[in-house]
Amino acid sequence: MIDTLFSGLIHGSVYAIAAVGMSLIFGVTNVANFAQGSLVAVGMMTAWWIGTSFGAALGWSAAVTLTVTLLVVILVTGILGFIMNAVVITPLEGRKPIAALLATIGVGQVLDNSLQLIFGTQTRQFPQILPTHNLQIAGLRFGTSDIVALIVTILLMAALWAFLTYGKTGQAIRATSQDPEAARQMGIPVKTIRHISFVIGAVLAGIAGIFVGLANGNINPTNGASIGMTAFVAATIGGLGSIPGAVLGGLALGIIEALGVSWLGDGAHDLITFGALLLILIFRPQGLFFSTKSGTGAVRSEPMTGTFLENARAIRLPRWANLVLAVLAVLLPFVSNNALAGAGTQVVIYALAAVGLTLISGSAGQTVLGMAGPFATGAYTSAILVTQYGWSFFAGFLAGGVVAAVTASILTFPVWKLSGHYVAIATIGVGAVTVAIIRLWEPVTHGSLGIQGIPFPSIFGQVLDTQQKMFLLDIVVLLVALWVVSRIQRAHLGHVFAAVGADQEAAEALGIRTNAYKALAYSIAGLFAGLAGALLAHQYTYIDPTIFTSTMSTLFLTIIVLGGMNSPLGAVLGSALLIGLPEVLRFASTWRGILYGVLLVVIILLRPQGLWSRTVNGKNVTGKNVTGKKAA
């Protein structure tokens, strides 16, 4: 037990370093920096490169290697943090915080995939800059690296506390965190302070990356997203924006994970981490260490809710044009070769999953970052019912959508009473917990081995065993989904969704139960994601938990941002560009990820309304009020 607690303390100290950087940035800029994990990965891979290329090759001592590694990591991550804020975040000042959050997701994708391009995707051993198992006390074996990690964490936190408490710049950071407008009026250079905060946060992430490598032993440049999510969970547990809370949250999460893994096995890691997140959100959403007296951890505004599309309207085509496009879409499989049809099935499946998001993340203004969960639920539900219980494809397909919607609704039901910011965080947990349950429920899902031998779709006795036939099925399902979502948007329900997204407080003043309508929109989105997952399962004929990652969730959101967050046809356009173009041109997956990230950032900066939307001055998203009448 003692060694488990000690291991949790070591890992928790690393989480704390990364979480403090995230909370510092959040407190000063109100930006939830989802690129923080990518910066951890940058620090980790930079340390690996220094240790293997110079430390081991030139025979440096441990002290010299560690010192040089720290200096290089600080320099590299500090520069990246400054560039991120100057090029991406600062131009978004004055827009809704959700814009900056989505931009950091794009930056994270660029960094993660750039690391894979530079270093490759293989797992490798981290150089032993410091001994890892050279000490023993009362049966507890540990290493110099563990002691150094704890000391560095303590020194960093003490130095940061002294800097924020007594330093002139630190006091300016605190003032900006509490009230940026008041700080600006007092002569504080708020823009400079934000640059400094981003640099410090990035440096802390890079330093955390060094100790992640030392603690884990084996590293992989693809681990940035998971590390970032863990740091985000730690910051949320402590209270977003609270630096002391981030430290305590990181330590608490490290110990919880260590105990949980020792009892349930390593496969339960994500279930423990994100299960803890959901419990915190349900019972104490502002964090375990939030202080109502000091305001520590208080959120100035909702950085994960609302929409930056108030003056945008989806482009509406006349009925005859929609009919022509539908006919052309149905005819497309008949003139496609195998390669084009195969790429087309991918485009349509991702578009189908993204179409539902236009209601919740577009119209209703609620960011959702965990749609891989409902997608996986639909895929596994249909696969299990058809392969193990003899259901027909059509029955399993429909059940996949329904079960995905119901499951997602049940898992998020307790948090809809909270504000949108915390609901957005909860969707991250729901997605991760869903996939973790699938991995652990081995008697039914076969765990990490996945499900094989899933039959091709069969309609009226006709087996759809060619790419063209499957492409045709996917298009028909997508057309139905587009019709349903478009009808919802034009109906009274759609106008209510739009009113909630445009101004939630005003909608509540009119007596609209905003969170109830967001929950309904989320259920509809889960339904379409589940149907898309079911189609994917029967067309892949094999699925396993590694398919349904946080990257997939991010991709769904990227698709609708690119096409237009409140535009169903925009979702199809976004999927065609993000999924179809790389498939047709056979881009390497790494370059594809970089393309996703760059496109997301560019669209948010230059055309936030998306490619299939237009700006409308002086009107809300729909141009209509809640009653469905034309706005004055």
Side-chain angles (χ1 to χ4, degrees):
M1 178 62 73
I2 295 178
D3 56 340
T4 300
L5 291 174
F6 185 77
S7 174
L9 186 63
I10 297 299
H11 283 85
S13 66
V14 177
Y15 296 158
I17 297 174
V20 164
M22 180 171 281
S23 280
L24 177 65
I25 292 172
F26 184 88
V28 173
T29 66
N30 207 44
V31 173
N33 181 18
F34 273 70
Q36 190 78 350
S38 303
L39 291 168
V40 174
V42 168
M44 181 175 66
M45 297 311 301
T46 302
W48 173 86
W49 176 66
I50 294 294
T52 54
S53 301
F54 298 96
L58 301 179
W60 290 350
S61 66
V64 172
T65 302
L66 182 60
T67 301
V68 172
T69 299
L70 280 169
L71 292 175
V72 174
V73 167
I74 289 171
L75 178 64
V76 171
T77 53
I79 291 173
L80 287 175
F82 177 82
I83 293 173
M84 185 192 311
N85 187 56
V87 176
V88 178
I89 304 302
T90 299
L92 295 174
E93 187 176 353
R95 297 192 195 176
K96 292 295 182 67
I98 182 62
L101 178 144
L102 295 174
T104 65
I105 291 175
V107 171
Q109 287 182 309
V110 172
L111 291 176
D112 287 340
N113 287 278
S114 296
L115 288 177
Q116 296 171 40
L117 188 65
I118 295 169
F119 296 104
T121 58
Q122 68 273 21
T123 299
R124 70 211 65 201
Q125 186 174 2
F126 194 81
Q128 283 201 350
I129 299 175
L130 296 171
T132 55
H133 294 89
N134 60 318
L135 303 174
Q136 184 173 351
I137 297 177
L140 175 63
R141 181 170 291 277
F142 55 97
T144 303
S145 61
D146 299 328
I147 301 300
V148 171
L150 283 175
I151 292 174
V152 168
T153 300
I154 294 171
L155 291 177
L156 281 175
M157 297 307 103
L160 185 61
W161 173 81
F163 170 70
L164 293 175
T165 303
Y166 300 110
K168 184 177 180 179
T169 302
Q171 292 174 351
I173 289 175
R174 292 172 58 199
T176 303
S177 174
Q178 293 173 5
D179 192 331
E181 290 304 320
R184 188 177 283 110
Q185 293 172 8
M186 292 174 61
I188 294 174
V190 172
K191 184 176 180 180
T192 301
I193 293 301
R194 286 176 171 169
H195 282 314
I196 293 172
S197 300
F198 255 91
V199 169
I200 294 174
V203 166
L204 289 173
I207 293 174
I210 299 174
F211 293 102
V212 167
L214 285 170
N216 293 345
N218 294 319
I219 62 170
N220 191 301
T222 63
N223 293 340
S226 62
I227 296 171
M229 281 299 171
T230 303
F232 180 73
V233 172
T236 304
I237 289 175
L240 276 174
S242 166
I243 292 177
V247 176
L248 296 174
L251 295 175
L253 181 60
I255 293 173
I256 290 170
E257 284 186 351
L259 292 173
V261 168
S262 69
W263 294 335
L264 302 175
D266 190 60
H269 179 274
D270 285 352
L271 180 63
I272 296 165
T273 301
F274 293 97
L277 172 64
L278 289 175
L279 290 175
I280 291 296
L281 290 173
I282 293 170
F283 295 107
R284 193 170 173 82
Q286 293 174 317
L288 290 175
F289 308 103
F290 170 79
S291 173
T292 55
K293 293 182 179 180
S294 64
T296 302
V299 180
R300 291 200 305 271
S301 63
E302 300 284 3
M304 293 188 194
T305 188
T307 175
F308 47 88
L309 303 174
E310 290 93 338
N311 296 324
R313 181 189 295 176
I315 296 173
R316 302 291 189 187
L317 296 177
R319 185 170 299 178
W320 65 265
N322 287 324
L323 183 60
V324 169
L325 287 177
V327 171
L328 291 176
V330 171
L331 293 176
L332 184 58
F334 296 98
V335 297
S336 300
N337 56 26
N338 285 335
L340 183 58
T345 59
Q346 297 296 306
V347 170
V348 175
I349 286 173
Y350 276 82
L352 177 61
V355 161
L357 275 178
T358 62
L359 293 176
I360 178 65
S361 293
S363 297
Q366 176 63 68
T367 301
V368 174
L369 294 168
M371 288 307 293
F375 192 88
T377 302
Y380 270 88
T381 297
S382 186
I384 291 169
L385 292 176
V386 173
T387 59
Q388 299 181 23
Y389 295 95
W391 285 35
S392 67
F393 160 74
F394 191 68
F397 165 70
L398 293 179
V402 173
V403 172
V406 172
T407 302
S409 299
I410 291 174
L411 289 176
T412 55
F413 174 76
V415 299
W416 286 110
K417 60 185 176 67
L418 305 172
S419 61
H421 171 75
Y422 297 107
V423 175
I425 300 174
T427 63
I428 299 172
V430 168
V433 166
T434 300
V435 177
I437 292 173
I438 289 172
R439 182 179 288 110
L440 291 172
W441 200 5
E442 294 185 2
V444 176
T445 64
H446 300 169
S448 299
L449 297 177
I451 298 178
Q452 302 180 14
I454 305 170
F456 288 119
S458 177
I459 304 293
F460 302 120
Q462 177 68 39
V463 178
L464 309 184
D465 54 358
T466 67
Q467 294 286 3
Q468 289 81 358
K469 292 178 181 178
M470 289 186 287
F471 190 18
L472 179 60
L473 170 65
D474 295 342
I475 286 176
V476 171
V477 174
L478 177 61
L479 290 175
V480 174
L482 289 170
W483 179 80
V484 171
V485 173
S486 297
R487 292 288 295 178
I488 290 174
Q489 287 186 331
R490 288 185 172 93
H492 174 77
L493 179 61
H495 300 153
V496 176
F497 287 157
V500 171
D503 193 330
Q504 183 168 333
E505 291 183 0
E508 290 175 349
L510 292 173
I512 297 173
R513 298 174 59 191
T514 56
N515 284 333
Y517 279 100
K518 286 185 178 182
L520 176 59
Y522 180 62
S523 298
I524 297 172
L527 170 69
F528 288 116
L531 294 176
L535 287 177
L536 179 136
H538 287 276
Q539 293 173 28
Y540 278 14
T541 70
Y542 167 78
I543 53 174
D544 68 64
T546 61
I547 297 174
F548 312 101
T549 63
S550 59
T551 302
M552 174 181 280
S553 297
T554 302
L555 182 54
F556 293 145
L557 191 60
T558 306
I559 286 171
I560 65 168
V561 171
L562 177 59
M565 290 187 73
N566 57 349
S567 171
L569 278 179
V572 180
L573 177 61
S575 182
L577 292 175
L578 286 180
I579 307 298
L581 186 61
E583 285 286 339
V584 172
L585 299 181
R586 299 298 180 187
F587 288 168
S589 59
T590 301
W591 282 106
R592 183 186 308 174
I594 294 174
L595 173 65
Y596 293 160
V598 170
L599 274 176
L600 179 57
V601 173
V602 169
I603 287 293
I604 291 171
L605 288 173
L606 303 181
R607 191 173 172 82
Q609 72 268 30
L611 298 178
W612 198 254
S613 296
R614 59 188 176 88
T615 57
V616 181
N617 294 327
K619 293 184 179 180
N620 62 17
V621 177
T622 63
K624 298 182 180 181
N625 60 26
V626 180
T627 66
K629 298 179 181 179
K630 291 288 185 180

